[in-house]
Amino acid sequence: MTEAKPASTMRSLERAIDVLEVLEASRTPLRLSEVARRAGLHVATTQRILGVLEARGRVEQDGSGYRTGVAMLFGAHAYLASNPVAVAAPLVLQQLATATGLTASVFVAAGDSRAVVARVEGKNPLRYVLPIGERLPLHLGAGKVLAAHMDAAELAALLVRVGDLSHADGAPIAPTELTDELTTIRQQGWSYSVDERVVGAASVAAPVVQADGRCIAAIQVAGPSSYPAFENPDTLSVEVRQAAAALSARLG
């Protein structure tokens, strides 16, 4: 029998993860005091944790503050090389991008967010940069496909944590409006979004559902909202849903 780790050891691990998540969420380096404040830790505790993480290459610092370190890339590469969805997706995405002319992507949920784990550019590429691993919302764009498959309690908790909901142009989203839309998305099996996360962009997405009914990813095509294919999203959704089914089949 494996001996249980002492509570203090587990708490130290949790605090280290809290610190890393603070740095991951920040787009700029942070001072020690700011890392401590955002992580809810004492400065001295935070400094010890940062010291250990820095020694392991997970954190770097200079005159501007602390940021995630280059060794974090090793973990990201290992994930992309071993995760079944990330490994199986490129071929399906290539076929989808060729068929539609749009950028094809696959997203997986991670807590209150989603992340791109694979992407293939179409002949009409996105007009903005969206790197693999970028943290994106669940209540906008392709994220709604993932949110639509959350149970009622999970969704309610997500909406509380997110707080005020709005589109890229600042237009507010009523929680009841969103929950009604998510119900429709789950029933019809796909979503259509325009100007939600980025003004001037549109997307069609579908869930990648396994045999047991679990939604493990969302597959999407996206591009300029003026692109002719978006004039008939119902037709475009057929291509996307077929791609989602093909990816599910590849995953067994």
Side-chain angles (χ1 to χ4, degrees), residues 52-216:
V52 172
L53 294 173
E54 186 177 6
R56 295 297 187 95
R58 267 63 183 179
V59 166
E60 299 174 351
Q61 68 161 316
D62 55 24
S64 59
Y66 291 91
R67 59 180 176 268
T68 54
V70 66
M72 295 292 286
L73 286 173
F74 303 148
H77 175 73
Y79 173 86
L80 294 174
S82 62
N83 177 266
V85 174
V87 172
L91 178 59
V92 174
L93 294 180
Q94 183 62 66
Q95 294 170 340
L96 181 59
T98 299
T100 63
L102 295 163
T103 297
S105 307
V106 166
F107 302 85
V108 297
D112 292 346
S113 306
R114 59 185 164 104
V116 187
V117 298
R119 162 165 292 135
V120 173
E121 297 286 350
K123 64 181 181 181
N124 290 276
L126 295 171
R127 294 175 179 171
Y128 55 89
V129 176
L130 186 58
I132 298 294
E134 181 82 3
R135 187 186 296 268
L136 300 169
L138 283 176
H139 66 283
L140 298 174
K144 293 184 297 186
V145 166
L146 299 169
H149 286 77
M150 300 173 74
D151 64 37
E154 289 175 326
L155 180 58
L158 170 68
L159 296 182
V160 169
R161 290 191 295 269
V162 172
D164 293 337
L165 304 171
S166 63
H167 289 153
D169 62 1
I173 307 170
T176 52
E177 174 189 347
L178 178 61
T179 53
D180 287 347
E181 183 181 8
L182 295 180
T183 298
T184 299
I185 289 170
R186 182 158 187 162
Q187 291 172 345
Q188 71 182 12
W190 61 281
S191 71
Y192 172 52
S193 305
V194 182
D195 298 336
E196 290 196 4
R197 201 182 62 80
V198 177
V199 174
S203 68
V204 171
V208 179
V209 181
Q210 293 198 306
D212 60 5
R214 289 185 303 118
C215 174
I216 60 170

